[in-house]
Amino acid sequence: MLFTDYLYENSKEIWDKYLEHPFLKEIGEGTLDKEKFRKYLIQDYLYLIEYAKVYAMACVKSRNLKELKMFNEGIAGSIENETANHIMYLRDDFGENIDEIEYKYKLNLTNESYTSYMKSISLTGTVEDIVAGVLPCTWSYGYIGLKLKEKYKDKLEGNFYKSWIETYAGDEYSKCTNEWIDFTNEICNDLSDERKEQLKDIFVRASMYELEFWNMAYRGE
């Protein structure tokens, strides 16, 4: 069994809850309250800034050029590629000044707890620990995007959230996700069962934080 299959099997119950979450179901149906979406985008934009810092610490801990390149791409993917869709919605649909967002708004408690957890791992853990902590975000968004597009593919025209769904269901994001899955399997291939169990615990906890992020978003915090 691939290591990522092991991670998924041990977090499947959590991931199944993503697909049944009212925030995501209402995105697929196009019925989600836009104010909730605005607040979610702001918090996720702030999250991605902190997320990039985790990759930055991983760059410092990289043991070879391949790892350094991978984590450097993680930084760029977080604060350049992924935020592009956030910026489009926040600027064009909600009239936000993008240059002011990180000064105008603050991380809420859920967001701060999640990002603090990942940053603590980046400071005290190994490269493998860091990957186990960041992978649920990257992987689950691709998973969610593909599932939403598959389920609502005939109802996306006129859906305000079509661009969000297609971003995470798109070929570019899927390629990125698969690269991180392959990278995880490569660096975790020869680990002991005890070490794999430790990394699984990090992955599951981060997956739980992802679920809490959706709960926070639906509450409109």
Side-chain angles (χ1 to χ4, degrees), residues 4 15 70 135-143 146 167-168 170-184:
T4 52
W15 284 42
M70 196 69 182
L135 185 60
C137 177
T138 299
W139 188 1
S140 70
Y141 266 72
Y143 175 83
L146 288 170
T167 292
Y168 293 109
D171 291 341
E172 184 176 348
Y173 195 86
S174 294
K175 179 175 179 291
C176 173
T177 300
N178 290 332
E179 287 174 352
W180 277 102
I181 291 172
D182 291 343
F183 177 67
T184 302

Side-chain angles (χ1 to χ4, degrees), residues 1 7 39 59 76 78 86 97 103 147 193 199:
M1 176 185 289
L7 294 177
K39 290 180 178 179
C59 286
S78 300
H86 293 59
N97 184 331
Y103 308 106
K147 293 292 187 180
D193 289 343
L199 298 178

